[in-house]
Amino acid sequence: QVQLQESGPGLVKPSGTLSLTCAVSGGSISTNNWWGWVRQTPGKGLEWIAEIYHDGSTNYNLSLKSRVDLSVDKSKNQFSIKLYSVTAADTAVYYCARLSLRRVDYWGQGTLVTVSS
Amino acid sequence: EIVLTQSPATLSLSPGERATLSCRASQSVSSYLAWYQQKPGQPPRLLIYDASNRATGIPARFSGSGSGTDFTLTISSLEPEDFAVYYCQQRSNWPLLTFGQGTKVEIK
């Protein structure tokens, strides 16, 4: 059973960088799946941010692409996201997830990130 | 961007009743539609993928149907643990992925 766990600061200052890591257990990250990030806010609901394959290939939500960087560390079986120049609108629960074909089949528990000074 | 519109926003039903949730796409998504259940404080859980296939471990009372632009999630007889928010999701024009805004199934 694949499990995902997010980690990272819960508070980020405006104009700063949000950094989160997702540790994958119960299976290798080097499978035929994409590993991504989804966030959830009361106002905008669920929003797909981006995803990465174990070979480093990436896909992005076009609305966020200019501010997002993804990376994967196969030796640690984890992947990470950086979201730059954050504002209060980036306050959300961030989920890491495994995307299998056209669906999200595994989710982390989620971590609340608040953007505030 | 393909927009998914879910209706109704809230469904008030009693345990044992049948729930019918709708998801309409702004353009055809073929059968590339999934449904999720979310309870407070938990991540979404995959219920249905490719419009009508139940995910592993999902009870048979959950079923999905539809293709093109109109989809339905049916819960044949509501159990107490089924009261939650349900989301549809499409990934027809890969890699772009979008979710509907959700339908809350509440106890009447």
Side-chain angles (χ1 to χ4, degrees), chain A residues 40 51 95 102-104, chain B residues 32 36 38 44 49 89 91:
Chain A
Q40 185 170 30
E51 62 193 20
Y95 295 100
R102 299 182 187 267
R103 60 194 182 267
V104 183
Chain B
Y32 300 129
Y36 302 84
Q38 188 178 32
Y49 64 94
Q89 169 255 308
R91 197 167 208 188

Side-chain angles (χ1 to χ4, degrees), chain A residues 14-52:
Chain A
S15 77
T17 298
L18 180 159
S19 296
L20 296 173
T21 295
C22 182
V24 179
S25 59
S28 172
I29 204 169
S30 298
T31 55
N32 190 25
N33 295 288
W34 290 77
W35 304 90
W37 298 90
V38 176
R39 68 183 182 181
Q40 185 170 30
T41 62
K44 292 191 72 176
L46 290 162
E47 181 179 33
W48 169 73
I49 302 171
E51 62 193 20
I52 190 165

Side-chain angles (χ1 to χ4, degrees), chain A residues 102, chain B residues 1-2 27 32 90-98:
Chain A
R102 299 182 187 267
Chain B
E1 176 182 307
I2 296 176
Q27 63 190 78
Y32 300 129
Q90 70 81 27
R91 197 167 208 188
S92 170
N93 51 341
W94 199 91
L96 303 182
L97 186 156
T98 56

